[in-house]
Amino acid sequence: MDYGNSHLTILDNSGNPLSGSSGYSSTADFAFPVAVAVDSSRRGWVANQSSNTVTRVTSDGTFQSYVVGYGPSGVAVDANSNIWTANYYSQSLGLVSSTGTVLSGTGYTGGGLTQPQGIAIDGGGTAWVANYRSPSISLFSGASSATPGTALSGTNGLASDSSLLEAFATAIDQAGNVWITSFGNNQLVEFIGPAVPVKTPMIGPVAVP
């Protein structure tokens, strides 16, 4: 992603650009792209921070955008290639199915979401979200649950007693530990074992180890 000029660059295994010398660009789709994730069909999903969309990009540079909520700042793919976005300005989560249907309506809210930034999906499909403007994280039920997008955390989120300050990025490891970068105090915070473990491949969605 080229945030400043709203381009997307795709490289092959040797580092050669597949998207031309100036990358892929679309004034109708890209708006300060800030995060990208890749699904099992090797399509990139780009979060447009200055818009209300996530954009699907194929390797040949074909674009398709979906309205998910204002200010998508984080994007993640679950094991079934459903797409989740953390929508910073609308304080919500977006969910797009692998077939391109927006499942979240105007966005999932609650659960202590406060300018959500980073998002990761565990091996059970649960969404773990870092709240940039609150010292907490939020949890939401997965796309395959009976009620997708239901807040599993309270109104103040979780882990408010941790040292998080401006929680930014989120990752889950093979032991189910949750890792959060704490931007405001230059720390990395680890929560031991609350998530379903994942195996993160080089390309495509997360998978159970």
Side-chain angles (χ1 to χ4, degrees):
M1 294 171 305
D2 307 322
Y3 179 86
N5 61 7
S6 295
H7 284 64
L8 178 68
T9 300
I10 302 177
L11 306 176
D12 65 18
N13 292 338
S14 300
N16 301 308
L18 300 176
S19 48
S21 58
S22 59
Y24 292 140
S25 63
S26 172
T27 56
D29 294 283
F30 289 159
F32 291 99
V34 70
V36 63
V38 179
D39 67 17
S40 59
S41 298
R42 300 190 178 187
R43 300 172 299 188
W45 292 81
V46 178
N48 296 297
Q49 193 177 58
S50 291
S51 180
N52 61 354
T53 62
V54 61
T55 300
R56 184 181 67 195
V57 185
T58 59
S59 59
D60 63 357
T62 300
F63 304 93
Q64 177 68 51
S65 292
Y66 303 87
V67 175
V68 290
Y70 198 68
S73 295
V75 61
V77 183
D78 70 16
N80 295 313
S81 286
N82 300 301
I83 311 304
W84 290 83
T85 62
N87 307 320
Y88 185 89
Y89 295 113
S90 59
Q91 303 191 77
S92 67
L93 299 185
L95 176 60
V96 182
S97 74
S98 59
T99 58
T101 299
V102 177
L103 303 176
S104 50
T106 57
Y108 300 132
T109 58
L113 286 177
T114 310
Q115 275 74 56
Q117 179 73 39
I119 183 169
I121 313 301
D122 70 16
T126 300
W128 295 74
V129 187
N131 294 305
Y132 187 75
R133 289 300 182 191
S134 174
S136 68
I137 56 178
S138 298
L139 270 67
F140 285 77
S141 59
S144 299
S145 68
T147 54
T150 298
L152 304 178
S153 48
T155 55
N156 295 319
L158 300 174
S160 59
D161 58 345
S162 67
S163 61
L164 288 172
L165 179 62
E166 297 178 340
F168 197 84
T170 309
I172 299 167
D173 66 25
Q174 292 189 8
N177 303 313
V178 179
W179 298 77
I180 309 287
T181 58
S182 188
F183 182 86
N185 55 11
N186 297 318
Q187 292 185 359
L188 177 63
V189 178
E190 179 187 9
F191 299 92
I192 307 297
V196 178
V198 299
K199 178 182 179 182
T200 304
M202 294 299 293
I203 191 168
V206 298
V208 178

